[in-house]
Structures are given as C-alpha cells and as structure tokens.
Amino acid sequence: MERYDGLSKRASELPASPIRKLIPYSDETEQRGVKVYHLNIGQPDLKTPQIYFDRIRTFSGVDDYTNSAGLKELREKFSQYYKKWSIPFETTDIIITEGGSEAVSFAIAAVADPGDDIILIEPFYANYAAFARFLGVNVIAVTSKAENGYRMPAIEEFERVITPKTRAILFPNPGNPNGVVYTEAELQSVMDFALRNDLYIITDEVYREITFDGLKAHSMMDFGHHEKIIVADSLSKRFNICGARIGAIASKNKRIMDAVMKMAMARLAANHISQYGAIGLFDLPDSYFKDMAREYEKRRDVVYEELKNIPGIVVNKPQGAFYLAAKLPIDDSENFVKWMLQNFNYENKTTMVAPLGGFYITPNMGKNEIRIAYVLNSEDLREACSILSKGLEIYNQRKIFAKR
Ligand SMILES: *Cc1c(COP(=O)(O)O)cnc(C)c1O
C-alpha cells in the first residue's frame, strides 16, 4: 500500500517513545559541554546487588536456551516470593519473560485480537500504547487528572468508554508516570467493573515494594476472581537490573498460561545468564527492599519540597514508584523541555524532564504536564529541581516579552 511508503500500517503508525525521541537534543547539549541532569528516564541509579554478579561469575558450561518457561529454580523463587506477599502463585502459574515489557505484550496478545480494545488509565506508561498497537489492539483511555491527584477515575468514566470489543483493563500499581498507589476501594471498584463487563485485568506490579508513608501496594490478586487476572512483573526496578531483561507473567487462568507458553516457545527463551544471576537476588533480606523504598521516599520528599512552591504548579505527593507528575504553568511541555536543553543553563548545567503529552491518547491532553523520575541522589536532585524552577521562571518571562 503506497500510503505507507512500502511499509506496513503497523510500522508506519507505531508511536515513537515520547521520552527517547528527545535524546538527540540532550546529546547535543552535552556535546556543547553543558551538564544535563537526566530526570527524564525511569532507570534507577542504585547499584545492582553484588550477589547477581557473583552468581554470574560462577556460570560455566553452555549458555544455551533455557526452557521457554524459564529456569525452574527461578520460577520457584518467584513462587516463594509471591507467597510472602500472600499471592498464591505456584511455579506452574509463572513464565519468565524478557522483562515486564514482554509480560505485558504477552498478556495483551493472550486476551485481545486485532481490532479489539483495551482500557488504559491516562496518563499511562507510554510503552503500553506501543505494545497494543504492535498487536493491532486499540487503546481507549479514561483520564486521571492532576487536580485530583491522578486518582482512579470514577467508574462512570470507564462505563463511558467501554465498547463491545473491550477485552481488558491494563494499569500499573504503584503507578508510572504519577507515583499513585491505589486504595483498596479504588482497586475493588475496578475489579467490580471488570467482572460486570467480563473483562480481564492486566495488572502491572513491577513497583510492588516501592511505596512510601507506610502504604502497602495491594496486588489485584488480593481481590479474588483469579481467573480474570494476569500479573505482569519485572525484576528491573526492584533489583536495579534493567539491562538483565528479566520479568514474569503469572496467572491462575490455565488457558491463558497455556497460550502464553506457546508465545514463549516461539521466542525460545529469556536470557539464560540473567536468569541464572537473578536466582540469587531472591535471597536478599527484606531489609534490602525497605532500604530501597526509604531511599526513594527521601528523594520524593526532596523533589516535592523543591517543586511545591513554584507558582501555578499542580503537584501531588507521590506514594510509590519513583516518579512525580506535575502540571506546570506553561503552554507546551515538549517545547519547554527542548528550550531547557537548547537555550538555558545555570552555571553550565540544565535539567531534562519528560513531557507528558505522549503518555495520553486523548489529543492535547498532558500538554502542560511533565514527569520527573527521581533517579539521582538527593543532592543532585535538589540542584536539578532548583535549576528546573529557575528555567521555568525565565521561560515564562521570555514568553511575556515575546507577546509584547
Ligand atoms: C519499567 C516499567 C516496565 C517494564 O520494564 P522491564 O524492564 O521491561 O521489566 C513495565 N511497566 C512499568 C510501569 C514500568 O515502569
């Protein structure tokens, strides 16, 4: 079809990552010798636990394909881990994936056909839309608003967007990009809605341990009806091994897991050496998670304290994960991000955040919103946020002058 310039419709319509597409701008800024504080990408800076590397060093023999479901020992570790959270997954309910990304893709593929749709809560983790489009699945969205703390939208909003082709609801908890941890009542309302409309729930729980202020992130598995639930999980954020590409998909629904197994077989196996190393991570004491959550909580406080006094900002205190979303008193956050890279620096330093427009499916939403990933130490974060607010002030003055 000429229209697509010789490519598939899928290829030509795939959304570019709203974050990664700005990287050429920051590369250019860095080449000019300006230091860029990267608060734009959600990749933790904390050290990978040494036990992972120590185990990998003992790897020998053949780096062959593992079973397509993953190494049995790793699946057993996952099962024990879930049981600590009172989530009753047996080894046979779990398949190891190439990160949470593949788990989400498999989950969508297992329940939705091309032309079907899935419900996301916008602003959403931007790759969800790419995974769905790749499979020819439509994304429809209910909107959570900055002014409401990005809380779960009212169920009437879900009723309004659902179609006869809607197959599932997909959302993370704790949340990316907003750091929301949903209450039991919010999650129960989604469960009730899903049951009433015979939808699956694809629940992305990759940030399970990272919660603040003593809150617990409830798993959707805490609400029963296990045959309707698919859990997408990952070790990337929990153990700071984003590069290892290890996650898991888990469900009590045997028909779903049989289908997922066929998908897993088609891609042969997840990375063998990473799986082997990851087994050791499950032996870390619980204090490991507590320390990690406390570190992110400290950073959350720094970012929130620095930003909350910006005139005109709408900012909510995140309760989990390592992101903060905010509405800024600006016209266009993508322009602002580019401007911060191209036209602004303070003592030869600038700050890069992620514009939130690409985290929405509804046109023009999120245009004045940004996401900050607090993946730097507190001291750097404080400076990065202060540079951001200095830049913002000048950006807005510049606009006023331009209009005159
Ligand atoms: C980072 C992330 C993922 C996927 O990460 P993987 O490295 O593929 O495991 C999935 N969901 C959310 C919400 C994320 O932030």
Side-chain angles (χ1 to χ4, degrees), residues 92 95 253-263 265:
T92 48
I95 288 176
N253 185 318
K254 193 162 174 350
R255 285 173 55 238
I256 287 178
M257 290 311 285
D258 286 347
V260 169
M261 186 58 186
K262 288 188 273 180
M263 299 177 207
M265 284 172 158

Side-chain angles (χ1 to χ4, degrees), residues 99-101 125 128 172 176 204 206-207 234 236-237 242 245 323:
S101 304
Y125 175 58
Y128 289 161
N176 178 2
D204 177 339
V206 308
Y207 295 104
S234 170
S236 291
K237 316 294 166 60
C242 291
R245 313 307 307 129
Y323 307 98

Side-chain angles (χ1 to χ4, degrees), residues 54-252:
D54 289 347
R55 261 190 75 88
I56 286 176
R57 228 165 263 128
T58 68
F59 191 96
S60 66
V62 185
D63 183 9
D64 56 358
Y65 298 126
T66 67
N67 183 298
S68 294
L71 288 176
K72 186 152 175 280
E73 202 181 343
L74 181 58
R75 295 165 73 205
E76 285 166 358
K77 291 285 186 191
F78 259 104
S79 169
Q80 289 157 15
Y81 159 85
Y82 283 125
K83 285 176 183 169
K84 272 203 213 163
W85 282 88
S86 307
I87 301 171
F89 283 136
E90 303 301 330
T91 306
T92 48
D93 301 324
I94 300 163
I95 288 176
I96 305 301
T97 55
E98 293 266 353
S101 304
E102 193 181 56
V104 173
S105 297
F106 282 175
I108 298 171
V111 300
D113 277 316
D116 284 343
D117 46 52
I118 57 167
I119 301 179
L120 306 182
I121 301 164
E122 65 182 5
F124 48 75
Y125 175 58
N127 284 340
Y128 289 161
F131 301 151
R133 295 249 186 99
F134 196 75
L135 294 164
V137 172
N138 299 322
V139 165
I140 55 181
V142 288
T143 307
S144 67
K145 301 207 170 65
E147 288 78 5
N148 294 335
Y150 298 105
R151 302 308 314 180
M152 184 68 78
I155 290 306
E156 297 80 68
E157 300 288 313
F158 288 83
E159 305 278 6
R160 218 164 42 77
V161 299
I162 193 171
T163 75
K165 287 179 166 265
T166 306
R167 301 286 295 150
I169 306 173
L170 161 61
F171 63 94
N173 184 45
N176 178 2
N178 46 34
V180 166
V181 175
Y182 292 122
T183 63
E184 280 182 82
E186 286 172 314
L187 296 173
Q188 185 67 55
S189 71
V190 173
M191 173 57 86
D192 294 344
F193 168 75
L195 292 176
R196 266 201 312 282
N197 294 286
D198 197 23
L199 305 178
Y200 290 101
I201 294 178
I202 303 172
T203 172
D204 177 339
E205 305 186 356
V206 308
Y207 295 104
R208 183 177 291 111
E209 284 83 4
I210 310 178
T211 57
F212 314 139
D213 310 322
L215 283 178
K216 171 185 153 101
H218 284 275
S219 170
M220 282 313 291
M221 291 293 286
D222 297 348
F223 297 84
H225 306 284
H226 291 165
E227 73 289 351
K228 304 301 289 184
I229 301 172
I230 310 173
V231 175
D233 215 332
S234 170
L235 304 187
S236 291
K237 316 294 166 60
R238 189 172 298 151
F239 294 118
N240 309 305
I241 53 167
C242 291
R245 313 307 307 129
I246 299 296
I249 181 168
S251 178
K252 282 286 175 191

